Amino acid sequence: MWFIIDDQMADDRRIRRLPLATVGLWVKLCVIHSKGVSMQAKDITAYPGYFDKLDLKDAGGTMKQLQQLIDSGLMEEHDGGWRPVYAEGICREPRVLTEEQREARRKAGSKGGRRKAANQKAKQTFGDLPENSQANGEQNSSETGSKPSSKLLEDSQAKTWHKTDTDTDIPSPTPPAGTAKQTASEAPDAFAAIAETYPGTIGAKGRKA
């Protein structure tokens, strides 16, 4: 159960004319009473429906302060004790919830807590994705960088040579086997051959019959 103070309370003349300590005591006594009413809804003997002098003492208040609250119309006597007066513009009377309403609120709170936890988990998972991608990129980059440049050149050349041999492999003609080079002493005497063919001519060695 909640003790609800109106947001216009500080502007009310009854509050403004009270000492600040007395206003603080009023808040504490109202909270004590609201808690008692909530307990009373579960167990009728847990709270009599009003606070007494012992409750006033536990709250750190005095009878003088309590009398100031009574004179301001914020407290009233009830069955030998006192209880708050709920005034418009100052505070609202606490509403007692049934067991079904309390159970519904507990379930709603539990459901909201699970939804919040699931949303936080989803945000954490989404936030980890860029980090993982960056880590994978750095790992691949480090592996490529650690590979020697000579190895990269060999791989590139191997691909180029393979393409050249496959696509533009034109066989080169085999040169014919050459004959042995003749020396001057081994060369035939062309003049003598002509002289033998045409007898009666004058050659370098004279006329032949």
Side-chain angles (χ1 to χ4, degrees):
M1 182 180 294
W2 294 82
F3 168 60
I4 303 174
I5 299 178
D6 196 284
D7 58 0
Q8 301 297 322
M9 181 269 291
D11 298 329
D12 193 278
R13 293 185 63 185
R14 289 167 290 186
I15 295 295
R16 292 171 59 186
R17 292 177 177 180
L18 291 173
L20 185 59
T22 304
V23 175
L25 175 63
W26 168 74
V27 173
K28 292 186 70 175
L29 293 175
C30 289
V31 170
I32 291 173
H33 179 71
S34 296
K35 182 179 179 181
V37 172
S38 179
M39 295 170 59
Q40 189 183 45
K42 299 178 181 179
D43 182 4
I44 192 64
T45 62
Y47 183 68
Y50 56 88
F51 61 87
D52 54 21
K53 289 185 178 181
L54 291 178
D55 296 323
L56 176 64
K57 183 178 180 180
D58 290 340
T62 64
M63 287 300 299
K64 179 181 178 179
Q65 291 174 319
L66 179 59
Q67 189 61 49
Q68 290 175 339
L69 293 173
I70 294 173
D71 295 341
S72 298
L74 298 176
M75 290 288 173
E76 65 180 3
E77 295 184 5
H78 181 72
D79 289 343
W82 301 270
R83 64 182 182 184
V85 175
Y86 302 102
E88 183 68 25
I90 295 182
C91 60
R92 296 183 186 179
E93 183 176 3
R95 185 179 62 177
V96 180
L97 301 178
T98 64
E99 186 61 31
E100 290 78 9
Q101 290 173 330
R102 284 194 293 267
E103 183 65 22
R105 287 196 175 188
R106 282 194 294 267
K107 289 182 179 180
S110 178
K111 185 177 180 180
R114 289 195 299 268
R115 186 185 298 112
K116 183 178 180 181
N119 292 338
Q120 290 178 349
K121 185 177 181 180
K123 289 181 180 179
Q124 292 175 355
T125 303
F126 181 78
D128 291 341
L129 290 178
E131 297 179 1
N132 294 337
S133 300
Q134 184 178 2
N136 293 335
E138 292 177 354
Q139 181 178 359
N140 295 335
S141 176
S142 62
E143 291 177 357
T144 304
S146 61
K147 196 172 185 180
S149 58
S150 60
K151 181 62 178 176
L152 295 176
L153 180 60
E154 291 175 4
D155 293 344
S156 177
Q157 290 177 344
K159 293 179 181 179
T160 304
W161 293 337
H162 178 269
K163 182 176 181 181
T164 303
D165 293 342
T166 303
D167 300 339
T168 59
D169 188 8
I170 301 176
S172 301
T174 303
T179 58
K181 189 176 181 180
Q182 297 179 344
T183 62
S185 60
E186 295 175 351
D189 190 350
F191 185 80
I194 294 174
E196 291 291 337
T197 304
Y198 303 98
T201 61
I202 299 175
K205 296 181 179 180
R207 183 180 300 277
K208 293 184 179 181

